[in-house]
């Protein structure tokens, strides 16, 4: 009796230990809506095992030296998660085709069985044991379904086409994002240099005002105004530096690397393109509708929904199946009269399946599929209209940016000359401090406009190529650049 009590206590302790271990990672909701939730210790320790961030760090360390736009695109293609996610989605869609095609083959299944029976009676002579084991193969083949099977394959094929085209578009989007981030970062670096030049100009004006005050030819108000402009220029310089760091972070995100990577870019070295092939904008729109992957994806989506209508129609009709079965079972009896028997089984059948009445479920499915097909047709119309508007807008944005760059270059040159004359006139006593500061501000504005116009022209060209769907590694015309002589020089 004592031994049984000990066993019961041991068993109870084991059960309690198991229950306590099973609840060691219990997770509770926040205790109050007014207080932040505290993560458990086991969750905190799991953060150090984040292999995803470790792989990002490893990719970041692979970036060496200064990179051109083409090299940056290569880095983005290797690392950016958006294109890889679209690629995996395309692979998943491809598997759906194989799954749909599987319905075209016979479906074969197998069964195996092993059983043991024991019959015990009051008389020892009636005691019997039985062992039964065997196997069975079943085969069915869909002979006729009024087009449902082929429609399912067609739907899966069109959805795979859609996924593949969307992958291509994601690559084009990545090209555009990389080019935009590259030129934005490059322009931000130029903006810092321009801001430094503004600081030098403001400092020169400040020093000139102090010299005139010291010599008795100026007034303190001129010095204070020049000092205010100098301090404003320093403030603008800090803002430009902050924007440069933001532009670097944006470029690093597109490249799929950490923002604190040692990322350097090469200065664009080619002449800035100032025109595109003179084509009628209507021809560009027609080209876009033929080669844009997102439009092709919408067309494939429409054909997939049309195939779904055919599949739904087939469900309203009977299905004809051919089937067969074969199996073998061994029976072994052990007892007074031991014996062994074998049972073979073969059968074949042809059956017809037809949902004569299903509560109008199949009819509703066909109506739904038809409505979805009509919806996708309207969606295709909407996307084609949007694509034509996109090409039209991007084309004239580019033409406008070309003219704006031309005017900004002329404005910069005039402002630089005007500032030189104003500074010379102020030192000679011909101009007052207001004339000098106004010329200085005009020069600063002209510098900024020139940098923005060059950046906007590059981006507008990249957006036009993207809108027409012609962007690609072999034809990425946007990867041209600006010669250093195009940058506003410090004066």
């Amino acid at each position: 009796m004592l031994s049984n009590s000990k066993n019961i206590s041991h068993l109870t302790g084991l059960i309690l230990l198991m229950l306590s271990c099973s609840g060691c990672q219990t997770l509770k909701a926040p205790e109050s809506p007014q207080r932040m939730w505290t993560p458990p210790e086991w969750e905190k320790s799991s953060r150090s095992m984040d292999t995803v961030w470790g792989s990002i760090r490893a990719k970041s360390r692979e970036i060496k030296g200064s990179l051109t736009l083409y090299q940056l695109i290569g880095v983005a293609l290797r690392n950016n998660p958006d294109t890889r996610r679209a690629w995996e989605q395309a692979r998943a869609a491809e598997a759906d085709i194989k799954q749909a095609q599987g319905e075209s083959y016979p479906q074969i299944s197998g069964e195996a069985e092993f059983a043991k029976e024991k019959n015990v009676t009051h008389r020892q002579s009636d005691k019997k044991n039985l062992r039964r084991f065997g196997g069975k193969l079943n085969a069915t083949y869909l002979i006729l379904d009024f087009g449902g099977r082929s429609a399912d394959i067609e739907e899966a094929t069109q959805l795979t086409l859609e996924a593949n085209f969307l992958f291509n578009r994601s690559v084009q989007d990545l090209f555009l994002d990389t080019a935009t981030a590259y030129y934005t970062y490059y322009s931000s670096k130029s903006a810092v240099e321009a801001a430094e030049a503004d600081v030098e100009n403001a400092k020169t004006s400040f020093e000139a005002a102090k010299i005139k005050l010291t010599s008795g030819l100026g007034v303190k108000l001129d010095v204070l105004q020049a000092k205010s402009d100098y301090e404003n220029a320093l403030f603008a310089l800090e803002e430009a530096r902050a924007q440069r760091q933001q532009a670097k972070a944006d470029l690093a995100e597109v490249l799929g690397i950490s923002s604190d990577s040692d990322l350097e870019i090469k200065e664009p070295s080619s002449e800035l393109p100032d025109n595109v092939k003179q084509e009628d904008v209507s021809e560009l729109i027609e080209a876009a509708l033929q080669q844009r992957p997102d439009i092709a994806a919408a067309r494939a989506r429409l054909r997939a929904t049309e195939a779904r209508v055919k599949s739904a129609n087939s469900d309203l009709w009977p299905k004809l199946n051919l089937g067969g079965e074969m199996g073998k079972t061994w029976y072994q009896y052990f007892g007074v009269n031991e014996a062994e028997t074998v049972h073979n089984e073969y059968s074949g059948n042809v059956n017809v399946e037809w949902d004569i009445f299903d509560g109008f479920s199949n009819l509703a499915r066909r109506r739904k599929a038809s409505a979805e097909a009509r919806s996708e047709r309207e969606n295709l119309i909407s996307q084609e209209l949007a694509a034509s508007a996109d090409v039209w807008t991007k084309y004239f944005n580019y033409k406008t940016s070309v003219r704006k760059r031309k005017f900004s270059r002329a404005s910069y040159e005039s402002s630089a000359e005007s500032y030189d004359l104003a500074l010379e006139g102020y030192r000679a006593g011909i101009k007052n401090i207001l004339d000098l500061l106004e010329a200085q501000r005009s020069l600063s504005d002209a510098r900024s406009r020139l940098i923005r116009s060059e950046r906007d022209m590059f981006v507008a060209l990249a957006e036009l190529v993207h809108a027409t769907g012609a962007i690609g590694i072999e034809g990425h015309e946007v990867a041209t650049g600006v010669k250093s002589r195009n940058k506003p020089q410090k004066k």
Side-chain angles (χ1 to χ4, degrees), residues 1-253:
M1 188 70 178
L2 182 61
S3 175
N4 289 338
S5 300
K6 289 183 178 180
N7 291 336
I8 293 174
S9 62
H10 290 162
L11 181 60
T12 304
L14 180 60
I15 292 174
L16 292 175
L17 178 61
M18 294 173 62
L19 290 175
S20 63
C21 290
S22 64
C24 62
Q25 289 192 356
T26 300
L27 193 61
K28 295 183 178 180
E31 295 181 358
S32 168
Q34 288 85 29
R35 297 176 61 184
M36 292 186 67
W37 172 71
T38 302
E41 291 300 323
W42 58 265
E43 191 280 334
K44 294 178 182 178
S45 62
S46 66
R47 299 178 194 176
S48 60
M49 303 169 60
D50 187 354
T51 57
V52 175
W53 180 246
S55 66
I56 294 175
R57 278 293 189 197
K59 293 172 183 177
S60 303
R61 288 191 290 268
E62 295 174 0
I63 306 300
K64 304 292 183 183
S66 297
L67 304 179
T68 64
L69 176 55
Y70 279 112
Q71 291 172 324
L72 291 172
I73 290 174
V75 172
L77 286 174
R78 290 193 300 270
N79 300 334
N80 190 279
D82 294 334
T83 53
R84 302 190 75 84
R85 183 167 58 249
W87 177 58
E88 294 293 353
Q89 290 170 348
R91 296 179 69 189
E94 179 188 0
D96 286 338
I97 296 181
K98 302 296 183 183
Q99 184 176 353
Q101 289 173 340
E103 298 295 328
S104 300
Y105 298 94
Q107 307 299 306
I108 301 175
S109 61
E111 299 178 17
E113 180 188 21
F114 176 81
K116 185 176 181 180
E117 299 178 8
K118 186 175 182 179
N119 297 322
V120 180
T121 64
H122 295 291
R123 293 188 304 173
Q124 185 68 23
S125 60
D126 292 337
K127 183 182 298 185
K128 292 181 181 180
N129 292 326
L130 167 65
R131 283 205 299 253
R132 181 178 70 249
F133 54 91
K136 184 185 296 185
L137 288 178
N138 299 288
T140 59
Y141 182 61
L142 179 63
I143 300 176
L144 179 65
D145 67 345
F146 292 91
R149 179 171 45 191
S150 59
D152 291 340
I153 296 174
E154 175 65 15
E155 180 185 359
T157 301
Q158 294 300 329
L159 291 177
T160 302
L161 274 176
E162 179 195 22
N164 290 347
F165 280 124
L166 291 178
F167 165 73
N168 286 352
R169 193 55 171 175
S170 72
V171 173
Q172 292 185 347
D173 292 343
L174 183 60
F175 287 171
L176 176 61
D177 293 342
T178 305
T180 302
Y182 168 77
Y183 289 119
T184 300
Y185 183 40
Y186 171 70
S187 296
S188 71
K189 296 175 70 175
S190 299
V192 170
E193 295 179 8
E196 291 172 346
D198 291 342
V199 169
E200 290 188 10
N201 292 149
K203 184 177 180 180
T204 299
S205 301
F206 182 34
E207 294 295 336
K210 289 195 295 184
I211 290 173
K212 290 192 69 174
L213 178 63
T214 303
S215 62
L217 300 176
V219 294
K220 188 173 182 180
L221 179 60
D222 291 354
V223 176
L224 293 175
Q225 288 177 324
K227 181 182 179 182
S228 176
D229 270 37
Y230 175 57
E231 290 170 344
N232 286 336
L234 290 173
F235 178 84
L237 174 59
E238 291 306 316
E239 281 193 327
R241 288 171 175 169
Q243 291 171 358
R244 179 182 61 186
Q245 297 302 327
Q246 179 63 55
K248 179 185 176 183
D250 293 340
L251 178 57
E253 183 179 2

Side-chain angles (χ1 to χ4, degrees), residues 253-297:
E253 183 179 2
V254 172
L255 298 180
I257 60 177
S258 61
S259 298
D260 58 350
S261 304
D262 294 330
L263 178 60
E264 294 295 335
I265 62 172
K266 287 186 178 179
E267 232 180 69
S269 56
S270 302
E271 180 62 45
L272 182 73
D274 58 2
N275 211 340
V276 291
K277 185 178 180 181
Q278 292 298 319
E279 294 179 339
D280 185 79
V281 66
S282 297
E283 295 179 6
L284 289 175
I285 292 174
E286 291 297 325
L289 293 177
Q290 290 299 318
Q291 61 193 16
R292 275 183 57 156
D294 55 332
I295 300 299

Side-chain angles (χ1 to χ4, degrees), residues 337-357:
N337 299 315
E338 296 187 2
E340 178 175 330
T341 61
V342 178
H343 176 69
N344 294 306
E345 181 182 355
Y346 305 94
S347 66
N349 63 81
V350 176
N351 68 76
V352 177
E353 298 179 12
W354 193 2
D355 295 332
I356 298 175
F357 181 74

Side-chain angles (χ1 to χ4, degrees), residues 79 109 130 192 275 283 303 316 335 403 411 424 434 445:
N79 300 334
S109 61
L130 167 65
V192 170
N275 211 340
E283 295 179 6
R303 290 192 290 267
L316 298 175
R403 293 191 293 270
S411 174
E424 182 180 349
L434 296 179
D445 292 341

